[in-house]
Amino acid sequence: MDQKDSSWINRILFYYDLVPISLAAEGGLTRVDTYFGRFALKRKVLNDRQVRALQTVYALARRLVIDAVCPLPTKYGDLIIRDQATSYYLMPWFQETVDASNLPERYHHLFHKAAQLHRQTMEKKQECATLYQGMVRVLGQRQMIWEHFLYTAEHHVYPSPFEQTVLQSAFIYLENMQRARDFFSRDKDEEGKSKKMRRALCHGRLTPLHLLIENERSCLTNFENSEDGFFIVETAALFEQAAVMLERKQSDWRAFYQSYQSACPLDEEEQGFLQHFLLFPSAHADLLIRYSQSETADEQWFVSRWTRLCETHQFMYTAITKMMKEEQKRKDELRKQKEAEEKQEADD
């Protein structure tokens, strides 16, 4: 690390009464070794909203509401040190014991920590009509991407290998999108009132890289984009992300779902949202756009990528919906058993 870098780091560490023994760049962080321990120094451009988000999370973590790695206060009590457009903050260092390349293990932890975050910051239900209307707009945009691609492919005399592959699976995805549209178009309940769902603190950027794992302890970090919201959206997006990042043979979707559900059980409306959100995956639409904009497309790569996305998505969706049905069956059996017992008591 050159003298210029050491200079600004020393200036920042002055606010913490720390003198570095050694410095080392570790990804997007600077590892700082001092006589008082090892720390991680982060340098980032933060706006006022992001600073407030970090302050909110710090307060929650201090009260042991959530398990998070947050900025440490300076000797003046500040969490963020701002220098014109750049901000700095110091965090305790985690010696991670699960390699960043071990995505299945990291996702298993991530689903559980996300569920704990949502459960521990849970708020009362609020009307979600605006959310449902937004989902209809997003779905409409993705459907337009599909329809444009299919229209172009069908008017080619000889569709390319990738276009032929997409055409073979188009029907099921278009049908799924219509199912999702039907669900999200019903933003009223049976009594004509706006549907409601629970809100909680959402991380904003849930990825395996924003989870620190040291032996038996795991904590979320990088809360700059956190905010209150309908947490089921973040949960659904996490499942969709994992389906893109993991190979089918690496994915135990039952374990992922159980890991989340054990810490933050979803109610019936939230399960319906998750199930229908996953019917119009963004990765498929993004790949169609990428192919359409590519001047010299690698047909073999696009076909392989599309096939993998479809297989993983189908495997994930089938596993999750099967578990939801099993849960509902158990609930129905318990309800019938309870009704039978109450009837027996009444007869006696």
Side-chain angles (χ1 to χ4, degrees):
M1 192 166 289
D2 60 32
Q3 185 175 358
K4 184 179 178 180
D5 288 334
S6 299
S7 177
W8 72 261
I9 291 175
N10 280 314
R11 179 167 57 84
I12 297 302
L13 293 180
F14 166 78
Y15 289 87
Y16 299 90
D17 274 343
L18 293 174
V19 177
I21 300 173
S22 63
L23 303 170
E26 296 273 354
L29 301 171
T30 300
R31 191 189 71 203
V32 181
D33 291 310
T34 74
Y35 290 109
F36 295 97
R38 179 172 288 176
F39 302 91
L41 181 61
K42 187 162 187 177
R43 179 180 187 179
K44 191 171 183 179
V45 177
L46 298 174
N47 56 38
D48 290 340
R49 190 200 66 77
Q50 291 173 316
V51 171
R52 289 195 298 271
L54 288 175
Q55 292 168 340
T56 298
V57 171
Y58 173 77
L60 292 171
R62 282 293 301 273
R63 299 200 307 270
L64 303 180
V65 176
I66 61 175
D67 193 5
V69 180
C70 296
L72 297 170
T74 69
K75 60 184 178 181
Y76 305 110
D78 299 320
L79 293 177
I80 310 296
I81 301 171
R82 308 186 80 170
D83 180 13
Q84 296 179 348
T86 308
S87 299
Y88 309 86
Y89 60 84
L90 196 70
M91 298 184 296
W93 182 266
F94 260 60
Q95 189 61 47
E96 293 206 79
T97 54
V98 177
D99 192 84
S101 63
N102 189 351
L103 289 180
E105 180 67 15
R106 296 188 73 85
Y107 269 111
H108 182 77
H109 284 275
L110 185 58
F111 276 104
H112 190 68
K113 299 309 294 187
Q116 288 182 333
L117 171 68
H118 297 155
R119 180 62 179 173
Q120 290 163 195
T121 59
M122 191 80 71
E123 299 176 6
K124 293 182 179 179
K125 289 186 176 183
Q126 295 184 19
E127 291 186 358
C128 56
T130 302
L131 171 63
Y132 275 50
Q133 293 162 10
M135 288 295 102
V136 172
R137 288 193 293 272
V138 171
L139 198 159
Q141 293 168 357
R142 292 182 188 171
Q143 192 166 357
M144 286 178 61
I145 294 170
W146 271 85
E147 290 174 351
H148 176 74
F149 181 91
L150 295 175
Y151 177 84
T152 302
E154 289 170 349
H155 283 76
H156 285 162
V157 177
Y158 299 106
S160 69
F162 178 68
E163 289 173 333
Q164 293 179 39
T165 303
V166 175
L167 286 170
Q168 290 173 1
S169 56
F171 174 76
I172 185 62
Y173 281 99
L174 291 176
E175 187 179 69
N176 286 344
M177 282 187 274
Q178 186 57 51
R179 286 174 54 199
R181 181 183 293 276
D182 292 341
F183 176 83
F184 289 116
S185 297
R186 297 191 297 269
D187 55 7
K188 307 287 185 183
D189 60 22
E190 294 179 354
E191 298 177 356
K193 298 178 181 179
S194 294
K195 289 184 178 180
K196 294 183 177 181
M197 285 200 299
R198 298 175 296 179
R199 296 171 68 90
L201 179 67
C202 299
H203 182 277
R205 293 181 64 198
L206 284 177
T207 76
L209 297 177
H210 295 161
L211 178 73
L212 302 179
I213 306 172
E214 184 175 12
N215 298 322
E216 298 300 319
R217 188 187 178 196
S218 60
C219 297
L220 290 170
T221 187
N222 293 72
F223 280 89
E224 296 91 334
N225 295 290
S226 62
E227 61 182 0
D228 174 71
F230 295 108
F231 67 89
I232 188 59
V233 180
E234 181 164 76
T235 306
L238 180 58
F239 274 102
E240 189 176 76
Q241 175 198 134
V244 175
M245 298 299 296
L246 296 173
E247 297 289 342
R248 175 176 172 177
K249 61 183 179 181
Q250 297 177 307
S251 312
D252 186 349
W253 295 108
R254 293 180 67 91
F256 291 159
Y257 182 81
Q258 288 175 333
S259 182
Y260 185 93
Q261 188 78 339
S262 64
C264 183
L266 299 176
D267 62 26
E268 185 177 346
E269 189 65 33
E270 288 159 353
Q271 287 184 337
F273 186 101
L274 172 62
Q275 188 176 2
H276 290 85
F277 181 96
L278 296 177
L279 288 175
F280 54 104
S282 61
H284 295 63
D286 292 341
L287 191 63
L288 296 181
I289 293 175
R290 182 173 176 180
Y291 182 85
S292 300
Q293 295 178 346
S294 176
E295 295 181 358
T296 55
D298 183 341
E299 293 289 334
Q300 184 177 356
W301 182 88
F302 275 98
V303 169
S304 175
R305 179 65 173 168
W306 181 265
T307 302
R308 194 193 74 79
L309 283 177
C310 291
E311 288 180 349
T312 306
H313 177 263
Q314 182 180 3
F315 189 66
M316 172 193 66
Y317 187 81
T318 302
I320 292 175
T321 53
K322 184 177 180 180
M323 288 204 65
M324 288 181 180
K325 290 178 180 178
E326 291 173 357
E327 287 178 6
Q328 188 59 47
K329 183 179 179 180
R330 286 194 296 270
K331 289 178 182 178
D332 291 340
E333 290 174 350
L334 289 173
R335 177 179 54 80
K336 291 179 180 178
Q337 181 180 352
K338 184 178 180 181
E339 290 175 352
E341 291 174 353
E342 291 176 349
K343 186 177 184 300
Q344 182 67 36
E345 290 178 1
D347 293 340
D348 293 342

